Amino acid sequence: MTDTPILAETDIQPVDPKALAPASPSTHAPRILILYGSLRARSFSRFAAEEAARILARLGAEVRIYDPRDLPQPDTAEPDHPKVAELRDLVTWSEGMVWSSPERHGAMTGIMKSQIDWIPLSLGGVRPTQGKTLAVMQVSGGSQSFNTVNQLRILGRWMRLLTIPNQSSVARAWDEFDEDGRMKPSPFYNRIVDVMEELVKFTLLTRDIKNHLVDRASERAESHAALSRRVNLARAAT
């Protein structure tokens, strides 16, 4: 049952349980970046993001919220644009993220998608999102929906993020926040607390072993093939 002639011995090895427990766990506060998807002055996705930030701080995290104002549309500016560079630096800094978007026309907003589109899959040879944690949230003007969090999960998987199981969807958001933008006591607020607590736990659990968790046999095989081609080419040249 272990006959796998297609696989080279160097491509796949038994999983070492010891590799899942770092010898020296990091002791700094988990670094969490929050993105939100609306530019309105009274933005409920921003209000939800700010509540999440307060909860994360109470849980011991270091939190930064990115302001998407003045971020250009993808492909209309160079990566060194100040707002693009700021976003990419924050993504590199972070160990986990929260994405909070309104649901508009049954989907995430363009503001939300633009921020994600500006995050490259590879930056200077490093994948800035691979193996980091992600929590997804949405706010809706009407009845509860999960369209946007489902879409955010797809994007999280595409960006190779470890999206936590729990999520938040706030219905009738206009009635869930007071005049100061603070969330009223409700099961919706309690769910955000649950999601942030889970995010911190998963971040602490995975941040020191994230590269090991997402190390893939197919990519190791591809790397070996590339090395073989380079060595053979050098031999041919001599």
Side-chain angles (χ1 to χ4, degrees), residues 186-206:
S186 71
F188 290 132
Y189 179 80
N190 295 341
R191 173 57 68 91
I192 293 179
V193 176
D194 290 348
V195 172
M196 294 308 111
E197 185 177 43
E198 188 172 289
L199 176 65
V200 170
K201 290 177 181 178
F202 271 78
T203 304
L204 291 171
L205 185 67
T206 62

Side-chain angles (χ1 to χ4, degrees), residues 46-138:
R46 175 169 56 82
F47 291 162
E50 290 170 348
E51 292 292 359
R54 296 181 185 102
I55 297 163
L56 286 166
R58 283 287 304 273
L59 292 168
E62 181 181 357
V63 186
R64 299 183 186 178
I65 302 178
Y66 177 73
D67 183 349
R69 286 177 296 181
D70 301 322
L71 178 70
Q73 285 292 302
D75 303 325
T76 66
E78 296 300 320
D80 61 357
H81 184 284
K83 290 298 294 185
V84 177
E86 177 191 358
L87 174 61
R88 293 185 173 190
D89 286 345
L90 286 172
V91 171
T92 301
W93 164 86
S94 71
E95 296 170 326
M97 287 193 282
V98 178
W99 293 350
S100 175
S101 177
E103 181 165 300
R104 186 171 297 167
H105 302 311
M108 77 183 74
T109 61
I111 297 296
M112 190 78 241
K113 185 62 162 57
S114 291
Q115 292 174 81
I116 298 169
D117 284 347
W118 270 119
I119 302 172
L121 291 175
S122 180
L123 187 61
V126 176
R127 298 184 187 274
T129 54
Q130 177 164 292
K132 297 181 179 182
T133 53
L134 172 67
V136 295
M137 307 197 305
Q138 75 169 76

